[in-house]
Amino acid sequence: MHGEQHYLVGLDLTGRRVVVVGGGTVAQRRLPRLVAAGARVEVISPEVTPAVQGLVDGGEAVWTAREYADGDLDGAWYVLACTSSPEVNARVTADAEERRVFCVRADVAVKGTAVTPAVGTHDGLLVGVLAGGQHRRSAAVRDGLLSALRDGSLADHHDQPAGVALVGGGPGDPDLITVRGRRLLARADVVVADRLAPRELLDELPPHVEVVDAAKIPYGRAATQDFINTTLVDHAKAGRFVVRLKGGDPYVFGRGFEELIACAEAGVPVTVVPGVTSAFGVPALADVPVTHRGVAHEVVVVSGHVAPDDERSLVDWSALARLSGTVVILMGVERAAAFADALMTGRPGDTPVSVIQEGSTRTQKVVRSTLASLAADIAEHGIRPPAIIVAGPVAALADGLPFHS
């Protein structure tokens, strides 16, 4: 079968039997998309990889644990020959052709009656590329198409209905926004942006996009939440698609659910796009894993906008002090001394602490300290918001390692 003769077609495999002969890494790569297509997948192989076993254990595929045998293709709509034996693959292909069932032969594609394209998805589109057996070329073209679709440089003329998308922009580096978040941002008519949202992304917006500053500057001027809610609702009701671009994740101390409630009460449809929260992402970029086997079995994320003794506080600081795991404090620079004192009622003063300012950006600054020295070290190094405070044994795990920042 010559590459230029291939006829690219979409198969509806929902509820239809698909036989995969072989349970190795090739089958492991092919199975997830077959399962996602709704196929009734049967794997025939004496052994399977752990990933294939996981699909079987999860009820997403059936495994017949033996060698391929006559009659295994009866009732099949589609066949993949993925064994490490050319002889077995040839036999499977011949049996499939005799039954007029299309068969992909993984080891020698041109000897099968079907080939698997390089495939990717984008916003409801399924993109498939064939390049006459030049697999690297088809994969490269697919990746280029998907990248162009996702960054908006290749328009797909897909109208975005009016409404609001609450998009988590990640901890600051524009590369850390999700693919879906970036795609929706490229379709926005209006962007309501936080101060901590990735600023570089705003420069990529087309000229017609209206940008609304919703900055909340610590201890300074700030847009009120009522103003933000009203802005989202009014623009959406005027027929526009509004992206509420927030730093981190919309639901981690980001008031995202307040904005969803305001939109829901006004009858405005909302899409929520989670983001990489700074509580976990920023420590990771500073060589601090918030959990580590045998070191921390819990991680608690705390808002530091009120002190431990403030009547508005909802945090049981005495309970946190008794825990041995990780405490991540957001918005805690101003009250760092109070938080350290509260934790030292149950933890030793030499408990490691890492403070990361402006994490994930080119101006990231990291200070290593302890609970007893935290306030003094913050003052000495001029730490200012936004900064993350991580307290617990994990904060010192990278000490002495060659890559330690």
Side-chain angles (χ1 to χ4, degrees):
M1 184 176 185
H2 300 294
E4 61 269 17
Q5 295 176 331
H6 289 152
Y7 184 80
L8 193 62
V9 65
L11 298 178
D12 180 3
L13 296 177
T14 304
R16 296 185 166 101
R17 184 170 183 255
V18 173
V19 177
V20 178
V21 183
T25 56
V26 175
Q28 177 180 324
R29 291 170 55 190
R30 298 287 182 255
L31 282 173
R33 197 169 293 279
L34 291 170
V35 169
R40 292 191 297 109
V41 179
E42 179 178 357
V43 179
I44 300 174
S45 178
E47 299 177 345
V48 296
T49 69
V52 174
Q53 179 73 63
L55 291 171
V56 172
D57 292 344
E60 297 177 285
V62 174
W63 175 27
T64 300
R66 58 166 171 75
E67 299 285 354
Y68 174 73
D70 291 339
D72 281 345
L73 304 189
D74 292 347
W77 287 71
Y78 193 57
V79 177
L80 285 81
C82 303
T83 77
S84 59
S85 168
E87 292 77 15
V88 173
N89 290 340
R91 179 184 167 198
V92 172
T93 303
D95 289 349
E97 188 163 1
E98 182 180 349
R99 289 167 172 76
R100 297 186 179 181
V101 178
F102 283 105
C103 177
V104 173
R105 181 169 170 178
D107 56 341
V108 188
V110 294
K111 293 189 177 181
T113 53
V115 293
T116 302
V119 176
T121 58
H122 166 77
D123 195 22
L125 294 176
L126 180 62
V127 178
V129 179
L130 295 177
Q134 299 179 52
H135 304 300
R136 290 188 178 182
R137 183 184 182 196
S138 59
V141 171
R142 174 207 55 198
D143 293 344
L145 286 171
L146 292 176
S147 178
L149 286 166
R150 287 164 180 165
D151 67 20
S153 58
L154 178 62
D156 62 5
H157 304 289
H158 178 55
D159 293 331
Q160 185 70 43
V164 172
L166 304 179
V167 175
D173 185 333
D175 285 344
L176 295 179
I177 189 173
T178 64
V179 171
R180 189 179 188 196
R182 192 155 195 158
R183 182 175 74 238
L184 294 180
L185 188 63
R187 292 188 179 157
D189 300 307
V190 179
V191 176
V192 182
D194 272 356
R195 181 180 69 93
L196 297 180
R199 296 169 296 181
E200 293 88 343
L201 295 177
L202 301 180
D203 189 47
E204 300 176 4
L205 298 173
H208 72 274
V209 177
E210 180 180 349
V211 177
V212 178
D213 183 4
K216 290 184 172 68
I217 301 174
Y219 326 125
R221 66 180 183 84
T224 67
Q225 192 61 51
D226 286 342
F227 165 78
I228 295 171
N229 294 348
T230 299
T231 299
L232 299 177
V233 169
D234 288 351
H235 279 292
K237 284 197 164 185
R240 303 182 183 97
F241 177 56
V242 186
V243 168
R244 174 71 169 107
L245 184 62
K246 307 170 75 68
D249 182 277
Y251 285 178
V252 180
F253 302 130
R255 300 191 180 182
F257 202 70
E258 294 180 38
E259 294 165 2
L260 181 141
I261 291 172
C263 291
E265 290 177 344
V268 171
V270 180
T271 298
V272 178
V273 182
V276 177
T277 174
S278 60
F280 297 160
V282 165
L285 294 171
D287 304 332
V288 179
V290 293
T291 65
H292 188 72
R293 184 173 56 165
V295 177
H297 286 182
E298 78 272 347
V299 54
V300 181
V301 182
V302 183
S303 169
H305 74 287
V306 295
D309 59 355
D310 192 301
E311 63 181 12
R312 297 171 295 169
S313 177
L314 303 176
V315 180
D316 187 342
W317 284 97
S318 62
L320 291 186
R322 293 194 300 272
L323 296 177
S324 60
T326 307
V327 177
V328 180
I329 305 174
L330 307 183
M331 302 172 287
V333 171
E334 183 187 31
R335 303 172 185 84
F339 298 137
D341 288 343
L343 291 175
M344 283 191 291
T345 61
R347 300 184 183 216
D350 62 357
T351 298
V353 177
S354 288
V355 184
I356 309 104
Q357 175 184 303
E358 297 176 332
S360 85
T361 72
R362 62 180 178 79
T363 56
Q364 174 173 301
K365 180 191 291 187
V366 181
V367 173
R368 312 293 178 179
S369 184
T370 63
L371 285 177
S373 304
L374 179 60
D377 286 341
I378 284 178
E380 178 183 346
H381 292 276
I383 295 295
R384 54 181 173 76
I388 310 292
I389 299 172
V390 185
V394 295
L397 285 179
D399 287 351
L401 294 177
F403 61 79
H404 191 23
S405 59

